[in-house]
Amino acid sequence: RSASAQEIKEKPNAKHHSTATLEFHYTRPYDPDSVQEQSANFLNNQIAIISASSVIKQAADESSIDPKVIQEALWIEPIENTDLIHLTAYHDDEASAKAIAEAVIKAYVSHRNTLEHERANNALQALDIELINQGDLVQDQRKTLTILIQQYGIPYFDGRNSNPVGATEEEMYRLAQKKLDDYETQRAQLEIQIQKVMTTANEDIIRMAAGMDLPENQVTEYYQSFRDLKNQIESKTASGLGEDHPSVVKLQQQADQKLEYARAEVVTLKQILDTKLMLIERQVEKMREIVTNKQDMTVELSLKQHNYNQAKEDYEQARDMYRQMKIKRQEARVMLKMPRQPVTIHGWTHQ
């Protein structure tokens, strides 16, 4: 059936007409995690939109053609058993018929892109607010955990399986001493490498940082994403696509962005490591006192351990969620910059 707006008017009759065969494209939301699919009414909805008064007015404004002339000249018919339509403009002047059809299609593309960018920007603003709130929660949980660490003298190690309940003071001390030795060695190496990163924009330095076994090392993730994108670029160029091809340019922009994220995270990694090492040094000293005094603190230690583990779990869950939200926001912003074409013109006929 033709669109409902056409059911109350007759098919135009004129000397000339221009017909475009169109395919509307469903564009997914800018949310990377969205699983929304195209609705069954998508085609009818787009026919209604392309013939709506707002699109007609925009076409009239851009083509300097009377909107009533455009409305009367326009006729849209779905092609049976397909997802395509024929958009036809009728006019006694051949050039005017073609101009009307082109103006309506151009106005529809502009209208779709404007609406979808507005929705995307609103979604990004909401995501920014959620990210700020989650960041505040991470800070609160970190403060709570830090207070318990200072009160109880239990060193912090990243990961849910560290510091199990029932570990003896001596076992925790040995673990702390080993961690301390590891961190001191890694810190010495990292300080040299971070200084190089801060003065030299060199992918080799980022590759070294990505290969380090360090706490909260997000360089590895960003660098691996960068390498994956570079592999995709090499595959496309090997298949014959040039460096200026839109798909190659888009992948290169994403790869450059991942590399910048990795470079920024290397600097952040040094700051995190210094803070953690300072904290561990204080806690190891307290742990040595516990081992030396050998006081019977089994029950009290068990309660402390329970409180500590709960605070540690709350902090790490909030922190992991915050990291995921940051990545999601970055991906959404990249998707927003990608060019989108809501319709394809498969052919024209002019009579």
Side-chain angles (χ1 to χ4, degrees):
R1 296 181 60 194
S2 57
S4 60
Q6 298 179 139
E7 293 175 354
I8 61 175
K9 78 171 187 178
E10 295 182 358
K11 188 174 183 178
N13 184 18
K15 293 181 180 180
H16 301 281
H17 68 266
S18 288
T19 299
T21 302
L22 304 181
E23 179 181 3
F24 297 115
H25 299 300
Y26 173 78
T27 52
R28 290 182 177 276
Y30 289 88
D31 181 354
D33 295 333
S34 174
V35 293
Q36 183 177 343
E37 298 294 340
Q38 176 177 326
S39 69
N41 294 322
F42 175 74
L43 181 60
N44 289 335
N45 291 341
Q46 301 316 303
I47 292 175
I49 291 173
I50 202 170
S51 57
S53 59
S54 58
V55 174
I56 299 301
K57 182 179 183 305
Q58 185 172 347
D61 292 341
E62 295 180 358
S63 64
S64 300
I65 301 175
D66 190 311
K68 291 183 179 179
V69 173
I70 295 178
Q71 187 69 61
E72 293 174 357
L74 190 64
W75 188 258
I76 301 172
E77 290 181 314
I79 302 176
E80 189 174 0
N81 298 324
T82 73
D83 291 326
L84 308 179
I85 69 163
H86 281 150
L87 181 145
T88 304
Y90 291 85
H91 202 279
D92 289 337
D93 177 67
E94 183 177 359
S96 296
K98 181 179 179 182
I100 290 172
E102 290 177 342
V104 171
I105 295 171
K106 182 179 179 181
Y108 166 79
V109 171
S110 175
H111 181 79
R112 274 277 303 273
N113 286 338
T114 298
L115 288 180
E116 292 178 3
H117 274 77
E118 287 178 355
R119 286 197 295 266
N121 282 320
N122 291 336
L124 282 175
Q125 290 176 7
L127 187 58
D128 286 340
I129 294 174
E130 292 180 2
L131 188 62
I132 292 173
N133 293 336
Q134 186 66 22
D136 292 340
L137 177 61
V138 171
Q139 293 300 323
D140 292 341
Q141 300 290 6
R142 180 182 295 168
K143 290 177 183 177
T144 300
L145 179 60
T146 301
I147 290 173
L148 292 182
I149 289 174
Q150 293 173 345
Q151 289 179 350
Y152 297 164
I154 300 177
Y156 173 77
F157 302 119
D158 199 6
R160 288 189 171 83
N161 294 326
S162 59
N163 275 337
V165 175
T168 65
E169 295 93 326
E170 187 176 356
E171 289 172 340
M172 286 190 290
Y173 167 77
R174 287 200 299 265
L175 180 59
Q177 185 62 61
K178 182 179 182 302
K179 286 286 185 179
L180 177 59
D181 294 341
D182 292 342
Y183 287 162
E184 286 175 341
T185 301
Q186 292 170 7
R187 180 180 63 177
Q189 296 171 348
L190 187 62
E191 286 175 345
I192 297 173
Q193 293 161 348
I194 291 300
Q195 184 61 33
K196 292 181 181 179
V197 172
M198 296 174 65
T199 57
T200 305
N202 189 321
E203 181 186 332
D204 292 336
I205 298 175
I206 296 177
R207 186 185 298 112
M208 283 190 293
M212 296 177 186
D213 181 18
L214 295 173
E216 301 186 2
N217 187 357
Q218 290 188 277
V219 181
T220 303
E221 177 181 342
Y222 286 128
Y223 184 74
Q224 183 59 50
S225 297
F226 164 77
R227 291 306 311 162
D228 292 341
L229 290 166
K230 293 295 287 185
N231 289 337
Q232 294 181 44
I233 293 172
E234 292 175 359
S235 175
K236 286 185 177 293
T237 55
S239 68
L241 297 182
E243 293 180 356
D244 295 332
H245 190 276
S247 64
V248 176
V249 171
K250 180 177 66 176
L251 288 172
Q252 186 61 54
Q253 291 173 347
Q254 296 177 22
D256 292 342
Q257 187 180 51
K258 293 294 184 182
L259 193 60
E260 285 301 316
Y261 291 155
R263 183 175 288 110
E265 286 297 331
V266 170
V267 178
T268 302
L269 195 61
K270 176 183 177 296
Q271 298 171 348
I272 294 174
L273 182 61
D274 288 340
T275 301
K276 280 182 170 291
L277 185 59
M278 192 182 309
L279 178 62
I280 288 176
E281 287 173 343
R282 292 199 301 265
Q283 303 313 316
V284 167
E285 182 179 352
K286 293 182 180 180
M287 195 64 70
R288 287 197 185 103
E289 294 177 2
I290 294 176
V291 174
T292 302
N293 295 333
K294 294 182 180 181
Q295 297 176 350
D296 187 5
M297 301 172 57
T298 304
V299 176
E300 183 179 355
L301 180 61
S302 176
L303 179 59
K304 289 180 179 180
Q305 188 76 61
H306 174 76
N307 295 338
Y308 166 84
N309 286 345
Q310 185 63 54
K312 177 174 178 291
E313 182 177 357
D314 292 343
Y315 161 67
E316 291 179 353
Q317 287 179 349
R319 182 200 60 192
D320 293 346
M321 178 63 70
Y322 180 74
R323 290 176 180 171
Q324 294 171 10
M325 292 173 65
K326 280 183 65 178
I327 294 174
K328 180 179 177 181
R329 182 183 63 173
Q330 292 163 358
E331 291 175 347
R333 292 193 183 281
V334 170
M335 292 176 65
L336 183 59
K337 295 178 181 178
M338 292 181 181
R340 296 193 172 201
Q341 180 55 263
V343 66
T344 295
I345 303 175
H346 287 286
W348 285 93
T349 57
H350 306 287
Q351 294 183 6

